[in-house]
Amino acid sequence: MKIKYKFTAIIFFVIALVSVANYQLFTRTFETIQTRRLETAEAVLSNSLAATLVRPLIERQQDQITAKLMQEMLLSDDKVSYLIVFDDKNKIFAHTFLSDIPNTVYTLNNTFKEGEINRIDHMETSELQSYNIAAPINEGIQQVGTLHVGISKTFIEETASPLKKATESLVLSAILISGVGLLMAMLASYTLTRSLTRLKDWALQLSNGDFTADIDINSRDEIASLVQAFKDMRSKVQLAHDKLAEQNQNLESIISKRTAELENNHQKLLKNNVQLEKLANDLEQERKNLKIVFSAMDYPLIVVNRDYSIAMMNDKAEELSGIQQLNSVQCFEAAYNFSNNCRSDSTLCPMKEIIKTKKPLTMEHQYDNADREAVIIEIRAFPIFDDQGEIVQIVESFFDITEKKHAEQENLLLERELNRAAKMESIGTLAAGIAHEINTPIQFIGDNTDFTSDSIKDLFEIIQQYKTLLNEFTAEHNEIQKRIKRIDEDGDLEYITEELPTALDQTKDGIKHVTEIVKAMKDFSHLSSDEKMGPANINEAIETTLTISKNEWKYEADLIRNLDPQLPKAQCQLGEIKQVLLNLIVNAAHAIAERRLNEQSTAKGTIEISTSRSEGCIQVAIADTGTGIAEEHKSRIFDHFFTTKEVGKGTGQGLSMAYQIIVEIHGGKLWFESEQGKGTTFYFTLKTS
Amino acid sequence: MMKPTLSFHTLFLLAVFIFWIAGCKTVEDKDLLSQANGITTDTILIGSSLALSGHAKSLGIEYSRGAQLAIDEVNDQGGIHGRFIDLINLDDRYEPTHTIANTQALIQQYQVFCLFNFIGTPTLVSVKEIIEQSQIPTIGLLTGAQSLREADNHYLFHLRDSYYAETEGAVHYYVDILGLKNIGIFYQEDSFGTEVLKGIQIALKKRGLTPIITDTFHRGSTDIEDGLKFIYSQPVEVVMMAGTIPPLAQFIERSHQLGKHPLFSTVSFVGAEAFGRELRTRDSIETKYYRDIMVTQVVPSPYAYEYPAAMDYFQLNTIHHPELPPSYVGLEGFLNAKLLLHVLDKSGADLTREKLINQLRSLNDYDIGIKKMVSYTDRKNQGIKGIYYSSMNETGSFELFHPPAQ
């Protein structure tokens, strides 16, 4: 197509596009205004109306809803053309149509997308011309029905009529402008394209290889300069064309010579490669065989070079060390996770020993593994010699003998414990015997004291009555009264009346106290390891134990009892638990004593015993204001035979036994919180019945 | 024809241009973060609006008492950076209109530093805008409403988990564990009831179920006779409820009088101890049915000794109020105060609302003492997760239980 037509077409097209766009914009604005009005006012009203219909709809109050719809319709003048309520089964439940329901209504859509609170549709059927606002009737997230509100179309259009007129006049003016523009465009494009057409013809001749053709244009505008530029280009292109043809020929001969040389070299290289590959395969196969034998051993095995680097290790050794890559791994890293050379003064180095003796060697080695558990291993090492009889490598194998060692130690412990138990039992029997012997006399002493105390009170009352009577009869006999008074004073009756009951009360307290100690001794000596689990009152157990151990703590500490009176019974072997309590209380007293000694303090410390309940268990806490536990001891205090007390004062058994009893026998928990210089609190829990 | 059209066009374009310019030049937000609000050299003023009378009063009384225990403890030790915490409690009777008035008074008249310990969903929803506009941090709220947990609530900082979590837990127990399907819902007709209703509907929907029947009652009313009849028009096995003590207790009592014994449940908001005390006075409810009444909880039992914060609360309550038993709601108030005190302390001596808000939004894994960590971010205003189940025991108090695994 010629440019002049293109120009014209483009300009026409642009004008048409602008007009259409403007028209569209205005129509859209018009629609937007209508919809916005619906959205802001009517849709919100519809939603709030829908909210009031929830309960009546659920309770299916048809009359109530119909009345509500009718009232709404009446209030809205002509704005609302109809109101319909559908129920959750998409059946019409109530409506405002006075005559027949139009068929269109049955096609209304009652489903909503998630988050959609209302929807506005344009209804244009023979029966209904209106905007339909659909609003869901929701209870929570559940749709129980739908409200449709028809907004009369005439009502909406009336509000927008001035805008519509403006749109129409705009379209008319756009048609006029495009007519004038079209004429002007045609004129301009004709003058512009005349010279261009001639230039085009000449360029066509050039492109066909005709460098001789010529052109003449007699004007001074941009087209003339364009023609001159074309002419210059023509001469330069002709020159370059000839030179290129000559160079092309030279290049071709050089390339063919080089290609032949390269092919020759390539063949030689290929031949070498095949030989090398075969050698490598053989070597790899041998390595694999060795590795298979090595891996088959079920204990860790490493081969160590003289510079302590690892030459080889089997799967078990990899498992032990967690090291996969052998590069630059030293034997101490692989075997013990050390980062430095083993110190010769603390650890016997198999490598050094073997170099010295040139003989195989077996040794034991103890270290902490990655989980900080003590591990004992047996190392068997033997040398590998080279042709000159020099040691080049050693082979080390490792056997974990931790359990074996522990078993040996445990046997030893068990034996000691049995001895101790036997001793305790005999002491217990003795205590029980003594308690029984004391119990009998104490009982009648107690009974007699009770009797005496009561009798004394009665006696004093009798005396008082005598005195009242005497007073009545001797009112006129001064002499007799004086003598009575004298007798009273000489006999210190007043003093005796006051002091005797007090003295007896004190005696009773004393007897009660002795009884308690005896009872506690009896209770305590019942301690026996094959005791049955049963529900027991831990508060009582604490009281008993406190009585027994009173001597241990009463000079060192004041006691605070914080016992929960509603504490449920705990399922336990009571004797064992008393033993634990005793150990903890005695430890607390010792800790306080030590601190007082250290600080030269005269003030007493405090032991606080608390019991509390939580779901499914009870908790006992024994807090002291003693020395506290040193940080480095914290991890070991439950170990057997670990003690920080002076020699002869502690056996190191108390806490380990407590741990055994609480954790292993009763399945409870035992733990502590401690701060050095402030004190320690031990806690344990027991399950309730 | 052409001239008037052109001028209309020009005018229109000009108008559009002017509107565009006006739209671009927004009014710059006033910085409402006041430096001096509620802070003096020796006090920090904190404001709270909650129900201290009316049908939800037991909640407000317990909540504020729990918080006061933690605050007094800190004040006794010299306050925070030398300042004593002064907590003002205003009574709103659980009525939104009062809450609005109280909140305005706290911000403008009392000029408190921050808001704290509000109670209730409709009450908080009504002051949501005021809080947002005043940019005043509001911490520790007795509501589980999801709408108050959305990211557009920039100044609310919840500690407890939501009603959605509680209803999901309850439905899990009834449907997944007990295998019950006929669930009815009886709820207060307001934003609180609707939140709980939605939570239950969502949880049921997850399991392919819907409530078998629902009904409502008005806030503050005990007129539940119509609802009672409507609910029992269906064979309900469980009635899940949302409301305050009087209507719920009335509903349960009337159910038993009619010979209906479904399982009952409600959310933590009810205040389990007061609920239990009330139910025990209703003689028509036989003791053997007590275990059928469940309350989901958002804090552990105040008797649960394994939680250090519960133990602290229990001990402080026993020392200062030996005659009053501890409660779940009290513990929640106590924990809210612990959180408040912690962030106040971290905000430093040179305290501003901006610093407090920054501390809250960057709070990460703060151990509040119930084996749960409190964290907030710019988009998450909910501190801890997880719920607990409690049912009424023979003595009328609600104790925790652990439903068996499925």
Side-chain angles (χ1 to χ4, degrees):
Chain A
M1 201 201 276
K2 295 204 166 162
I3 286 181
K4 63 177 170 188
Y5 299 133
K6 277 189 189 162
F7 258 117
T8 317
I10 286 170
I11 288 169
F12 177 74
F13 185 66
V14 167
I15 290 171
L17 205 69
V18 169
S19 310
V20 172
N22 264 353
Y23 182 70
Q24 280 287 324
L25 180 74
F26 276 85
T27 326
R28 196 71 62 76
T29 316
F30 173 61
E31 268 173 22
T32 317
I33 288 169
Q34 287 175 335
T35 325
R36 183 66 54 79
R37 197 210 132 92
L38 287 167
E39 273 168 8
T40 47
E42 323 309 346
V44 172
L45 285 176
S46 306
N47 277 103
S48 62
L49 178 61
T52 66
L53 299 174
V54 181
R55 285 320 303 174
L57 184 58
I58 289 174
E59 286 160 26
R60 301 200 74 78
Q61 312 255 9
Q62 198 160 18
D63 295 345
Q64 197 183 329
I65 293 181
T66 311
K68 215 164 201 167
L69 297 186
M70 283 297 183
Q71 186 196 10
E72 203 64 36
M73 178 98 171
L74 221 66
L75 287 173
S76 74
D77 288 333
D78 294 333
K79 189 170 73 182
V80 174
S81 52
Y82 61 83
L83 291 147
I84 313 163
V85 169
F86 285 84
D87 66 9
D88 55 346
K89 294 180 183 66
N90 288 332
K91 296 251 165 61
I92 293 178
F93 187 73
H95 60 85
T96 57
F97 295 105
L98 295 174
S99 50
D100 290 343
I101 300 172
N103 283 328
T104 325
V105 166
Y106 294 101
T107 64
L108 287 171
N109 184 2
N110 291 327
T111 51
F112 293 86
K113 280 178 241 149
E114 197 164 320
E116 195 176 32
I117 52 162
N118 54 50
R119 188 177 52 233
I120 301 165
D121 294 313
H122 195 158
M123 305 262 295
E124 195 76 67
T125 65
S126 54
E127 301 153 318
L128 285 175
Q129 287 87 42
S130 59
Y131 288 95
N132 182 70
I133 301 174
I137 303 176
N138 284 342
E139 189 196 31
I141 61 160
Q142 204 167 340
Q143 192 183 345
V144 295
T146 313
L147 170 72
H148 290 277
V149 180
I151 303 291
S152 134
K153 211 170 166 196
T154 44
F155 173 79
I156 293 295
E157 274 164 7
E158 268 165 29
T159 57
S161 60
L163 197 64
K164 216 167 182 192
K165 270 184 197 151
T167 318
E168 280 160 16
S169 52
L170 184 80
V171 174
L172 265 175
S173 69
I175 294 170
L176 241 152
I177 292 170
S178 30
V180 175
L182 212 67
L183 270 173
M184 283 166 73
M186 279 177 82
L187 210 72
S189 59
Y190 175 71
T191 46
L192 200 69
T193 50
R194 212 175 41 182
S195 316
L196 279 176
T197 314
R198 286 183 56 200
L199 186 60
K200 179 202 80 182
D201 293 343
W202 182 60
L204 263 174
Q205 278 177 298
L206 278 187
S207 69
N208 288 337
D210 182 3
F211 290 112
T212 56
D214 215 341
I215 187 172
D216 224 7
I217 291 210
N218 26 351
S219 69
R220 290 174 186 282
D221 59 9
E222 285 87 345
I223 300 209
S225 335
L226 189 64
V227 170
Q228 194 49 51
F230 259 90
K231 280 182 177 171
D232 292 351
M233 192 177 77
R234 181 192 60 182
S235 40
K236 278 182 189 154
V237 168
Q238 207 173 349
L239 212 73
H241 184 261
D242 298 344
K243 217 172 188 178
L244 207 65
E246 190 185 326
Q247 277 177 359
N248 236 6
Q249 250 171 354
N250 287 340
L251 205 61
E252 261 168 37
S253 71
I254 292 171
I255 286 175
S256 63
K257 214 159 132 198
R258 288 277 160 87
T259 313
E261 280 169 23
L262 271 174
E263 179 63 21
N264 205 8
N265 284 347
H266 179 65
Q267 289 299 334
K268 278 184 198 161
L269 272 174
L270 270 181
K271 217 179 275 173
N272 286 347
N273 240 8
V274 172
Q275 285 169 352
L276 269 174
E277 224 165 78
K278 192 168 172 294
L279 267 175
N281 278 342
D282 292 351
L283 212 59
E284 182 60 23
Q285 189 55 44
E286 258 174 64
R287 261 187 86 87
K288 268 185 195 159
N289 288 344
L290 192 60
K291 186 83 181 173
I292 288 166
V293 175
F294 216 52
S295 306
M297 306 195 178
D298 80 330
Y299 50 86
L301 198 83
I302 61 175
V303 179
V304 184
N305 294 326
R306 280 197 69 154
D307 63 353
Y308 304 109
S309 66
I310 308 264
M312 226 185 265
M313 62 203 288
N314 68 354
D315 296 352
K316 287 280 168 184
E318 278 173 11
E319 236 169 72
L320 177 77
S321 63
I323 292 173
Q324 308 271 330
Q325 296 274 311
L326 286 183
N327 299 349
S328 77
V329 172
Q330 307 279 72
C331 59
F332 38 84
E333 288 174 71
Y336 321 119
N337 280 326
F338 290 168
S339 55
N340 291 316
N341 269 314
C342 307
R343 280 172 51 182
S344 53
D345 53 341
S346 65
T347 321
L348 204 57
C349 173
M351 175 65 87
K352 286 180 188 158
E353 285 303 306
I354 289 184
I355 290 171
K356 227 188 279 171
T357 59
K358 300 210 169 187
K359 279 181 188 148
L361 138 107
T362 303
M363 57 182 277
E364 268 178 28
H365 205 115
Q366 191 165 359
Y367 72 105
D368 290 345
N369 68 6
D371 300 333
R372 299 210 153 273
E373 291 159 351
V375 174
I376 305 167
I377 52 167
E378 188 178 282
I379 304 176
R380 293 189 199 146
F382 53 87
I384 299 174
F385 300 98
D386 64 2
D387 300 344
Q388 278 82 43
E390 282 297 316
I391 294 171
V392 278
Q393 291 176 321
I394 63 167
V395 180
E396 292 182 27
S397 49
F398 302 88
F399 301 92
D400 190 337
I401 55 167
T402 317
E403 274 173 30
K404 203 167 112 195
K405 284 272 167 186
H406 279 191
E408 279 169 21
Q409 269 174 9
E410 261 163 36
N411 274 342
L412 202 70
L413 285 179
L414 205 65
E415 210 170 298
R416 283 191 207 168
E417 236 164 75
L418 278 172
N419 281 340
R420 193 188 118 269
K423 216 183 274 175
M424 285 295 284
E425 210 175 305
S426 60
I427 293 171
T429 319
L430 192 66
I434 295 170
H436 182 74
E437 286 306 317
I438 298 176
N439 215 14
T440 320
I442 271 294
Q443 227 150 35
F444 65 74
I445 293 173
D447 291 347
N448 286 349
T449 316
D450 281 347
F451 171 73
T452 315
S453 172
D454 290 345
S455 310
I456 289 281
K457 266 185 216 143
D458 295 344
L459 214 56
F460 284 145
E461 261 170 38
I462 293 169
I463 292 174
Q464 192 57 45
Q465 282 172 22
Y466 282 155
K467 278 175 83 176
T468 319
L469 273 177
L470 264 175
N471 268 340
E472 270 175 35
F473 283 110
T474 59
E476 284 108 44
H477 299 83
N478 271 340
E479 192 53 34
I480 296 174
Q481 286 207 333
K482 269 180 197 161
R483 281 173 69 177
I484 291 169
K485 206 174 173 194
R486 183 82 171 271
I487 292 166
D488 282 358
E489 279 168 6
D490 286 352
D492 257 354
L493 186 63
E494 203 178 340
Y495 180 77
I496 292 170
T497 321
E498 266 175 34
E499 291 303 319
L500 199 55
T502 322
L504 277 168
D505 280 348
Q506 279 173 2
T507 312
K508 272 159 80 180
D509 279 350
I511 292 167
K512 203 174 144 204
H513 196 98
V514 175
T515 316
E516 266 170 27
I517 292 174
V518 172
K519 184 167 169 280
M521 265 170 83
K522 272 178 82 179
D523 281 355
F524 203 75
S525 58
H526 282 160
L527 190 153
S528 120
S529 57
D530 50 21
E531 189 188 344
K532 290 235 170 65
M533 287 269 185
N537 186 331
I538 297 300
N539 284 348
E540 272 174 23
I542 289 172
E543 288 299 345
T544 308
T545 314
L546 283 173
T547 313
I548 298 259
S549 58
K550 199 163 185 172
N551 247 337
E552 296 278 352
W553 53 262
K554 71 176 171 190
Y555 303 109
E556 302 293 348
D558 291 321
L559 193 78
I560 301 174
R561 288 177 180 82
N562 210 343
L563 306 181
D564 181 350
Q566 262 101 45
L567 195 73
K569 290 195 169 172
Q571 198 66 25
C572 65
Q573 298 178 2
L574 190 58
E576 301 280 329
I577 296 305
K578 282 180 184 163
Q579 184 68 52
V580 172
L581 285 167
L582 181 69
N583 289 346
L584 294 180
I585 291 166
V586 170
N587 275 356
H590 286 176
I592 290 170
E594 196 184 333
R595 178 163 170 204
R596 289 178 70 197
L597 196 70
N598 290 347
E599 294 174 6
Q600 295 291 318
S601 162
T602 50
K604 273 194 197 178
T606 314
I607 296 176
E608 181 174 356
I609 303 191
S610 340
T611 53
S612 57
R613 65 204 127 120
S614 54
E615 279 147 46
C617 61
I618 64 151
Q619 182 175 312
V620 180
I622 297 172
D624 66 58
T625 55
T627 48
I629 299 167
E631 206 55 52
E632 65 268 26
H633 293 150
K634 280 186 177 171
S635 62
R636 300 184 55 197
I637 66 160
F638 293 124
D639 287 358
H640 264 296
F641 305 116
F642 177 80
T643 181
T644 57
K645 293 177 188 169
E646 288 166 38
V647 177
K649 220 174 171 192
T651 58
Q653 294 259 54
L655 284 174
S656 77
M657 201 157 89
Y659 191 83
Q660 245 177 334
I661 291 169
I662 297 294
V663 179
E664 289 168 19
I665 298 178
H666 289 86
K669 280 188 254 172
L670 172 66
W671 73 99
F672 65 91
E673 283 165 8
S674 180
E675 197 174 335
Q676 224 171 347
K678 293 238 169 107
T680 307
T681 307
F682 274 92
Y683 301 90
F684 67 82
T685 63
L686 290 171
K687 289 174 191 145
T688 50
S689 346
Chain B
M1 188 76 214
M2 197 167 153
K3 211 177 172 194
T5 314
L6 265 180
S7 75
F8 173 78
H9 199 153
T10 321
L11 268 177
F12 179 79
L13 281 179
L14 196 68
V16 167
F17 185 65
I18 288 168
F19 279 120
W20 181 65
I21 293 287
C24 284
K25 194 172 181 278
T26 49
V27 183
E28 281 195 14
D29 287 342
K30 267 192 214 163
D31 185 16
L32 289 165
L33 291 179
S34 168
Q35 300 289 316
N37 269 355
I39 307 279
T40 66
T41 49
D42 57 359
T43 52
I44 303 173
L45 205 56
I46 311 282
S48 170
S49 171
L50 27 63
L52 296 170
S53 60
H55 58 120
K57 69 175 178 190
S58 57
L59 291 176
I61 293 168
E62 286 293 323
Y63 215 46
S64 59
R65 191 164 57 219
Q68 198 65 48
L69 287 173
I71 290 171
D72 286 348
E73 174 89 343
V74 165
N75 281 347
D76 287 348
Q77 288 161 10
I80 287 178
H81 298 298
R83 294 193 183 100
F84 293 105
I85 311 298
D86 190 357
L87 176 62
I88 302 171
N89 292 312
L90 300 184
D91 181 13
D92 63 19
R93 311 171 59 81
Y94 189 41
E95 287 296 343
T97 47
H98 292 292
T99 316
I100 294 171
N102 284 352
T103 307
Q104 280 167 341
L106 286 170
I107 297 174
Q108 281 154 21
Q109 185 186 330
Y110 292 94
Q111 303 220 323
V112 295
F113 176 64
C114 67
L115 300 178
F116 173 66
N117 261 19
F118 275 45
I119 286 183
T121 306
T123 44
L124 254 163
V125 166
S126 71
V127 295
K128 192 177 143 171
E129 279 308 311
I130 301 178
I131 289 169
E132 200 64 23
Q133 278 167 21
S134 318
Q135 304 181 4
I136 186 165
T138 305
I139 301 157
L141 310 163
L142 184 58
T143 168
Q146 195 60 35
S147 59
L148 295 168
R149 281 171 170 70
E150 303 293 345
D152 61 338
N153 295 289
H154 301 98
Y155 301 96
L156 300 187
F157 296 91
H158 303 275
L159 183 67
R160 45 163 291 155
D161 209 341
S162 64
Y163 293 139
Y164 281 13
E166 288 191 53
T167 50
E168 166 61 30
V171 169
H172 166 70
Y173 174 60
Y174 288 133
V175 177
D176 300 341
I177 295 172
L178 301 186
L180 304 173
K181 292 202 165 55
N182 295 335
I183 294 177
I185 307 173
F186 188 59
Y187 62 99
Q188 183 170 299
E189 192 170 11
D190 68 353
S191 50
F192 162 57
T194 311
E195 279 286 344
V196 177
L197 168 79
K198 279 186 189 170
I200 300 170
Q201 285 175 327
I202 289 169
L204 287 173
K205 197 176 172 190
K206 248 174 76 178
R207 294 161 175 84
L209 298 172
T210 52
I212 182 173
I213 195 157
T214 62
D215 208 348
T216 59
F217 58 93
H218 291 293
R219 180 170 61 236
S221 152
T222 52
D223 180 14
I224 49 99
E225 282 305 312
D226 289 345
L228 188 77
K229 273 191 207 123
F230 193 64
I231 292 276
Y232 289 119
S233 67
Q234 293 289 328
V236 288
E237 294 170 300
V238 180
V239 180
M240 295 179 75
M241 305 182 289
T244 51
I245 293 169
L248 301 199
Q250 180 79 4
F251 189 91
I252 297 176
E253 182 182 38
R254 290 287 298 131
S255 298
H256 285 280
Q257 283 171 0
L258 293 178
K260 303 284 185 187
H261 308 292
L263 302 182
F264 293 99
S265 85
T266 187
V267 291
S268 57
F269 181 78
V270 78
E273 288 73 17
F275 191 37
R277 279 197 294 277
E278 177 62 34
L279 288 173
R280 215 165 27 161
T281 65
R282 310 280 177 137
D283 293 334
S284 308
I285 311 171
E286 284 178 60
T287 318
K288 66 174 176 182
Y289 292 117
Y290 278 7
R291 287 277 176 194
D292 294 345
I293 305 171
M294 176 170 91
V295 176
T296 47
Q297 304 288 359
V298 288
V299 295
S301 159
Y303 295 99
Y305 274 82
E306 62 267 37
Y307 303 108
M311 196 151 156
D312 288 347
Y313 163 68
F314 181 90
Q315 284 177 346
L316 286 171
N317 188 64
T318 312
I319 293 166
H320 296 289
H321 310 287
E323 73 289 0
L324 300 167
S327 66
Y328 288 96
V329 172
L331 177 57
E332 190 182 327
F334 180 77
L335 293 175
N336 285 344
K338 263 195 85 171
L339 170 66
L340 172 74
L341 295 167
H342 176 73
V343 285
L344 281 177
D345 186 41
K346 279 189 75 181
S347 301
D350 188 14
L351 191 60
T352 63
R353 281 186 188 162
E354 207 162 7
K355 281 187 185 167
L356 186 77
I357 291 167
N358 286 340
Q359 279 302 334
L360 279 162
R361 288 188 185 151
S362 61
L363 193 65
N364 188 24
D365 281 357
Y366 162 52
D367 183 358
I368 201 160
I370 54 168
K371 297 183 183 168
K372 279 183 184 161
M373 299 294 171
V374 187
S375 300
Y376 295 107
T377 66
D378 286 351
R379 303 199 45 78
K380 186 181 80 101
N381 64 3
Q382 151 94 60
I384 53 175
K385 287 246 153 249
I387 63 137
Y388 308 82
Y389 299 90
S390 72
S391 67
M392 190 155 137
N393 66 15
E394 290 66 28
T395 64
S397 59
F398 279 85
E399 63 182 22
L400 293 191
F401 70 96
H402 303 286
Q406 221 171 313

